[in-house]
Amino acid sequence: MLDIRDRDALAQRVLATEPDDVFHLAARPLVRLSHAEPVETYATNLMGT
């Protein structure tokens, strides 16, 4: 498992595994948590994409 926000680790994993497709399913769906932690939510939902 790796943190989707870690661009270098993600790039290494993609290069190592050569996947046919990549799906981003790591979004934070909880609205209350998103309001409480907006920076982390932004980083996961948008920068992770």
Side-chain angles (χ1 to χ4, degrees):
M1 184 182 302
L2 62 90
D3 187 334
I4 195 169
R5 298 169 296 177
D6 185 343
R7 185 178 181 155
D8 293 333
L10 184 59
Q12 288 177 4
R13 180 71 56 90
V14 170
L15 290 173
T17 59
E18 299 181 357
D20 292 327
D21 299 300
V22 176
F23 295 92
H24 175 344
L25 303 175
R28 293 181 101 179
L30 302 175
V31 175
R32 288 183 185 175
L33 181 59
S34 298
H35 287 282
E37 300 176 352
V39 174
E40 291 84 356
T41 300
Y42 177 83
T44 300
N45 291 358
L46 298 176
M47 293 170 49
T49 303

